[in-house]
Amino acid sequence: MAPPNDPKQSESASGSGGGFFASIASSLSNFGTAMTRSVNGLVPYEGLEVINPEGGTEDAAEEASKGRWKQEDRDGHWKMMQKYVGSDVTSMVTLPVLIFEPMSMLQKMAELMEYSHLLDLADECEDPYMRLVYSASFFVSVYYAFQRTWKPFNPILGETFELANHGGLTFIAEQVSHHPPISAGHAENEHFTYDITSKVKTKFLGNSIEIYPLGRTRVTLKRDGVILDLVPPPTKVSNLIFGRTWIDSPGEMVVTNMTTGDKVVLYFQPCGWFGAGRYEVDGYVYNSSEEPQIMMTGKWNESMSYQPCDIEGEPRAGTELKEVWRVADVPKNDKFQYTYFAHKLNSFDTAPKKLLGSDSRLRPDRYALEHGDISKAGYEKSSLEERQRAEKRNREDKSQQYTSRWFDQTDEIHPTPWGDLEVYKFNGKYTEHRAAIDSSGSVVEETDIQSMEFNPWQYENLAPE
């Protein structure tokens, strides 16, 4: 009996047309269908999908009356949004600050680094299969943060985020394109380099949205030069307007050792009736001959464990299940469901000396929201977006192209199961920039967020029209 999610079965099942990517894409026909509960008693909202992840079909109408929206706001937002049903709304909809968290998407990219010690362990490990256990657990770990139902701010073109004072890391992310929205990131310490080009594709379904990751993530383990590639599962956000918003990521995560051909295939179970299967992750580490070597199991919001197995996928005699990762303690009753690490990302404890003026921490809308001033946050968000539009018009009038600072666009087009991606590459200038600051020997005063202006702009003194 072949183990669950056997890549050999996936390949053969997909036939000769498409191979592994086709096997992932074909699974999307069932994406989000584990629990479909329509509300037929809410006029004029018949057919809208409302899901209580902890209940059954009979709970849909009751669930629809819950959530963060007041009745009048809920009705207004549905009237505004219903015309977008079936569309990719990645950057075409202006959303109210009420649903935002005080963090930029670039900061959310950096949240993956909370458990970066797992990649340190992967680099130090001589067992090629345990390397993949550590690496896969690292990629699973960020899903605890992804379950937050608040939306991060879309980065302004040229916005950056720097992370220091954590695990010996240097981390830089930059918004390199506005249409389409593309972010690029690079992290490095003595054990690994991490490079990502991040882009998403969405499908708005009325009361839910499906999010497909068209990104490319590569990790290089420095000791042996091993290169790892990630293909994450898609994500679905349910109950956007009606009901309590919640997030699920059903599907396969694949981490491939591009050097040896070994891989991990983990299946994120969809949430079923009354929460059955919610958060559960199961799968195997396979060798290059696609034979299972280690089984992995756990919950993406809790912990991951592993156990050596035979080629039938059964645990080996004399072995036991061992935990490899567990979520750290988190603050209780936190308004935005932040972890302690997420709070650090908004502080200057994780900022390097002489922070770039384009850093997300300095966004006035983010700062206002963090301090509970929703009205000011909304005003500042609108001001930033209008300044961004003014810059675009100015570039077009001057026939100029925007050029990112820390990442260069390459000629490489990377295929994903959900579309092609333009790849950006870290150009090394940030390393030189930080080295120059660190070697200057000058005393750097502590950054004051209220006196330092957010400045990702290409043009100076360009007032919104």
Side-chain angles (χ1 to χ4, degrees):
M1 179 183 69
N5 304 319
D6 188 336
K8 291 185 288 186
Q9 288 187 334
S10 296
E11 294 280 356
S12 60
S14 63
S16 59
F20 180 63
F21 279 169
S23 73
I24 295 180
S26 66
S27 70
L28 297 182
S29 61
N30 295 318
F31 182 36
T33 60
M35 306 181 308
T36 300
R37 303 157 197 168
S38 296
V39 177
N40 296 314
L42 293 177
V43 179
Y45 312 118
E46 291 88 346
L48 271 181
E49 181 187 63
V50 178
I51 301 173
N52 176 0
E54 299 170 353
T57 53
E58 71 281 358
D59 302 312
E62 179 183 354
E63 178 65 31
S65 65
K66 301 177 181 179
R68 66 183 58 153
W69 300 104
K70 297 178 181 178
Q71 176 71 42
E72 58 272 20
D73 294 335
R74 184 179 68 183
D75 295 345
H77 286 301
W78 168 241
K79 289 176 183 177
M80 178 186 72
M81 295 295 295
Q82 60 184 337
K83 64 184 177 182
Y84 296 111
V85 171
S87 301
D88 184 347
V89 293
T90 304
S91 60
M92 64 188 295
V93 180
T94 299
L95 298 171
V97 169
L98 177 65
I99 68 169
F100 282 71
E101 63 179 352
M103 179 180 285
S104 162
M105 184 61 75
L106 298 183
Q107 292 172 282
K108 196 131 186 174
M109 288 172 62
E111 275 199 83
L112 180 59
M113 293 297 129
E114 177 169 5
Y115 301 98
S116 61
H117 71 277
L118 290 168
L119 289 184
D120 296 346
L121 292 173
D123 182 56
E124 294 169 348
C125 184
E126 295 186 3
D127 185 321
Y129 309 122
M130 279 304 300
R131 277 180 181 166
L132 287 173
V133 169
Y134 289 124
S135 301
S137 298
F138 167 76
F139 288 120
V140 169
S141 70
V142 77
Y143 282 84
Y144 183 87
F146 283 177
Q147 71 179 323
R148 291 202 302 268
T149 57
W150 306 93
K151 184 188 182 305
F153 287 97
N154 290 337
I156 298 295
L157 184 62
E159 182 177 332
T160 58
F161 181 74
E162 300 176 84
L163 171 64
N165 308 321
H166 174 73
L169 278 172
T170 56
F171 175 95
I172 177 69
E174 180 180 13
Q175 190 70 3
V176 295
S177 172
H178 181 56
H179 286 294
I182 301 176
S183 308
H186 174 83
E188 186 167 0
N189 69 5
E190 62 178 326
H191 291 289
F192 67 87
T193 59
Y194 166 91
D195 291 281
I196 182 172
T197 302
S198 179
K199 176 183 174 183
V200 298
K201 180 179 180 181
T202 63
K203 185 176 183 181
F204 179 64
L205 300 174
N207 200 36
S208 64
I209 186 170
E210 294 174 355
I211 304 170
Y212 305 101
L214 274 70
R216 192 190 79 165
T217 299
R218 294 281 168 82
V219 169
T220 301
L221 302 179
K222 290 187 173 181
R223 191 181 71 164
D224 294 332
V226 167
I227 299 175
L228 306 176
D229 176 78
L230 169 71
V231 179
T235 293
K236 184 173 184 178
V237 185
S238 297
N239 300 357
L240 287 172
I241 302 173
F242 300 90
R244 294 166 295 180
T245 307
W246 63 284
I247 296 175
D248 203 15
S249 296
E252 287 183 336
M253 169 186 283
V254 182
V255 181
T256 303
N257 183 331
M258 301 179 68
T259 308
T260 65
D262 304 333
K263 68 173 61 173
V264 183
V265 181
L266 296 178
Y267 184 65
F268 285 53
Q269 303 286 346
C271 179
W273 301 116
F274 300 97
R278 190 178 183 189
Y279 309 118
E280 292 181 6
V281 181
D282 299 285
Y284 291 88
V285 177
Y286 297 90
N287 63 18
S288 58
S289 299
E290 298 179 346
E291 299 169 330
Q293 302 295 309
I294 299 176
M295 59 178 288
M296 295 185 66
T297 186
K299 292 186 175 183
W300 52 259
N301 70 331
E302 186 177 295
S303 65
M304 288 297 294
S305 298
Y306 70 95
Q307 187 170 3
C309 66
D310 59 27
I311 60 172
E312 300 296 327
E314 298 297 326
R316 289 190 180 276
T319 66
E320 60 182 4
L321 199 64
K322 294 183 179 180
E323 188 173 273
V324 65
W325 163 77
R326 176 169 290 276
V327 171
D329 291 339
V330 298
K332 296 187 183 301
N333 303 317
D334 190 86
K335 179 179 179 180
F336 294 103
Q337 302 166 292
Y338 273 12
T339 63
Y340 289 111
F341 186 68
H343 280 292
K344 286 182 179 180
L345 296 179
N346 271 339
S347 77
F348 290 95
D349 294 341
T350 55
K353 295 189 298 182
K354 204 169 182 181
L355 186 70
L356 293 169
S358 49
D359 195 87
S360 302
R361 297 174 182 85
L362 303 174
R363 287 182 62 134
D365 51 357
R366 188 212 64 75
Y367 182 78
L369 182 59
E370 184 180 24
H371 288 79
D373 193 338
I374 293 178
S375 177
K376 182 173 176 57
Y379 168 79
E380 295 289 0
K381 176 176 176 288
S382 296
S383 297
L384 289 176
E385 291 168 347
E386 182 50 44
R387 172 71 183 267
Q388 183 168 232
R389 287 189 285 268
E391 285 230 332
K392 180 182 178 183
R393 291 191 293 269
N394 199 27
R395 271 194 302 274
E396 291 173 346
D397 290 344
K398 296 180 177 180
S399 299
Q400 295 179 345
Q401 294 290 325
Y402 178 78
T403 302
S404 50
R405 185 176 180 184
W406 310 113
F407 297 84
D408 296 334
Q409 185 173 1
T410 69
D411 295 329
E412 182 179 357
I413 301 297
H414 178 68
T416 80
W418 306 284
D420 292 340
L421 170 74
E422 309 91 329
V423 176
Y424 283 76
K425 182 180 180 181
F426 180 64
N427 58 25
K429 294 179 182 177
Y430 179 76
T431 303
E432 297 171 359
H433 165 77
R434 293 255 52 102
I437 291 173
D438 293 341
S439 63
S440 65
S442 59
V443 177
V444 179
E445 295 183 3
E446 186 174 337
T447 303
D448 179 4
I449 192 170
Q450 293 180 296
S451 63
M452 190 172 180
E453 182 182 359
F454 177 59
N455 183 17
W457 312 114
Q458 181 178 4
Y459 305 106
E460 296 296 328
N461 303 318
L462 185 62
E465 298 177 1

